[in-house]
Amino acid sequence: MSDVSPAKDFIAGGFGGVCTVVTGHPLDTIKVRLQTQPTPPPGQAPKFAGAWDCARQTVMKEGFRGLYKGMAAPIVGVSPMFAVCFFGFGLGKKLQAGEKTNAELSYIQLWNAGMLAGVFTTVIMAPGERIKCLLQIQADAGSKKYAGPVDCAKQLYREGGIRSVYRGTALTLMRDVPASGMYFMSYEILQRKLTPEGKTRKDMSVGRTLFAGGMAGVFNWMVAIAPDTLKSRFQTAPAGKYSGVGDVLRHLVREEGPQALFKGVAPIMVRAFPANAACFLGYEMCMKFLDWLAPGW
């Protein structure tokens, strides 16, 4: 196992993260709008019949740019967030390997290293997620409260200080810690399985890297979908509506049933494969370039 290189992880992780956001943001917008649409009165149909209907209505009312609303916030946070994420995973592997620098870690050790990465990223992820969700749903509210991500952050801070900006951090942790464990563990397992015999992961084809990254994204969201729904509801609700995580869950299940925890699953899974395939391909290609450019760095 090679030493962790913070500089390389920052650059390669940031590049992979930008690839993720650009590829997957339209479907993320659809996911958030499906998750946060109001409960229809008895006898009336919901605002969106499904993912395709949500996309169609968004494009008709707001144009294709509507699918990219709120993208500035994750783009701004994506380089440091993915840098910290990949660095956290590398650090987790190094801590568990100890003096055995070339040791192959067990699956549970890979899971633990991935969970450490999830803890690292929450500090950056939580406020960006809150701003993103508010910008994504404001068109449905009938009024434009925020001019953009910076204006949204300023208004949140004025309304409730730093606690308002970081509202939903506990739920972000509940989502990202186990999901990141699954994310990195599944990617590493697939890398091992798909690496040709007698070769290293650097010899893997683009197609195999895309498949491993894409499937890692799918496995990640299989774990993350339910807490992500709770997080979206909590972060976009008026202040004081929910007293905490348990209150959000009780309201959701009582009013809409347990299936409501999985709202937006279709766009999430459609997005997960290409977005994360792009992320890991971008990361691996950038690392190869950096290894060639500065092998001793």
Side-chain angles (χ1 to χ4, degrees), residues 26-44:
L27 286 161
D28 187 69
T29 298
I30 295 168
K31 176 210 62 164
V32 170
R33 291 188 175 187
L34 286 171
Q35 288 176 334
T36 59
Q37 66 177 322
T39 305
Q44 293 190 20

Side-chain angles (χ1 to χ4, degrees), residues 174-230:
M174 285 177 58
R175 181 194 69 177
D176 287 352
V177 171
S180 292
M182 176 61 77
Y183 186 55
F184 283 105
M185 182 187 72
S186 57
Y187 180 70
E188 290 293 324
I189 291 172
L190 287 168
Q191 281 274 11
R192 292 178 185 179
K193 300 295 184 184
L194 294 172
T195 299
E197 189 174 352
K199 303 286 185 178
T200 67
R201 62 189 296 165
K202 292 183 179 180
D203 300 314
M204 277 185 62
S205 66
V206 169
R208 292 187 178 194
T209 300
L210 286 170
F211 178 76
M215 290 306 300
V218 170
F219 289 129
N220 169 83
W221 277 105
M222 287 173 66
V223 175
I225 178 63
D228 184 67
T229 300
L230 296 175

Side-chain angles (χ1 to χ4, degrees), residues 126-128 130-131 153 156-157 160-167 169 235:
R130 176 142 158 77
I131 292 166
L156 290 175
Y157 186 80
I162 197 68
R163 290 183 64 181
S164 178
V165 177
Y166 274 87
R167 186 180 178 195
T169 297
Q235 289 185 318

Side-chain angles (χ1 to χ4, degrees), residues 24 29 41 87 150 188 204 210 238 242 255 261:
T29 298
F87 172 76
V150 175
E188 290 293 324
M204 277 185 62
L210 286 170
Y242 300 117
E255 295 172 5
L261 287 167

Side-chain angles (χ1 to χ4, degrees), residues 8-253:
K8 286 183 179 179
D9 280 330
F10 181 86
I11 297 170
F15 182 72
V18 171
C19 293
T20 303
V21 175
V22 173
T23 304
H25 193 80
L27 286 161
D28 187 69
T29 298
I30 295 168
K31 176 210 62 164
V32 170
R33 291 188 175 187
L34 286 171
Q35 288 176 334
T36 59
Q37 66 177 322
T39 305
Q44 293 190 20
K47 181 172 184 178
F48 304 118
W52 175 251
D53 184 52
C54 181
R56 183 183 61 80
Q57 288 194 45
T58 299
V59 172
M60 285 179 63
K61 294 176 182 177
E62 306 167 52
F64 282 100
R65 291 182 63 184
L67 294 171
Y68 285 92
K69 280 192 173 177
M71 191 174 74
I75 283 287
V76 168
V78 88
S79 287
M81 188 270 289
F82 269 77
V84 170
C85 184
F86 278 90
F87 172 76
F89 179 61
L91 181 61
K93 290 193 294 182
K94 187 175 182 179
L95 288 172
Q96 293 179 96
E99 299 297 324
K100 300 176 182 178
T101 56
N102 293 314
E104 186 173 271
L105 299 182
S106 67
Y107 295 161
I108 190 64
Q109 287 177 314
L110 293 170
W111 173 282
N112 291 336
M115 289 198 296
L116 180 63
V119 174
F120 277 27
T121 57
T122 297
V123 174
I124 301 171
M125 195 74 172
E129 282 280 299
R130 176 142 158 77
I131 292 166
K132 171 182 72 69
C133 288
L134 288 170
L135 290 173
Q136 285 174 327
I137 69 164
Q138 72 172 350
D140 293 333
S143 61
K144 189 174 182 180
K145 183 178 180 181
Y146 308 111
V150 175
D151 181 54
C152 182
K154 287 180 179 178
Q155 289 194 46
L156 290 175
Y157 186 80
R158 282 198 299 267
E159 291 167 5
I162 197 68
R163 290 183 64 181
S164 178
V165 177
Y166 274 87
R167 186 180 178 195
T169 297
L171 280 162
T172 305
L173 273 170
M174 285 177 58
R175 181 194 69 177
D176 287 352
V177 171
S180 292
M182 176 61 77
Y183 186 55
F184 283 105
M185 182 187 72
S186 57
Y187 180 70
E188 290 293 324
I189 291 172
L190 287 168
Q191 281 274 11
R192 292 178 185 179
K193 300 295 184 184
L194 294 172
T195 299
E197 189 174 352
K199 303 286 185 178
T200 67
R201 62 189 296 165
K202 292 183 179 180
D203 300 314
M204 277 185 62
S205 66
V206 169
R208 292 187 178 194
T209 300
L210 286 170
F211 178 76
M215 290 306 300
V218 170
F219 289 129
N220 169 83
W221 277 105
M222 287 173 66
V223 175
I225 178 63
D228 184 67
T229 300
L230 296 175
K231 179 196 71 66
S232 294
R233 288 292 180 100
F234 186 75
Q235 289 185 318
T236 58
K241 181 175 181 179
Y242 300 117
S243 60
V245 178
D247 194 33
V248 181
L249 179 61
R250 282 191 298 273
H251 274 78
L252 189 66
V253 173

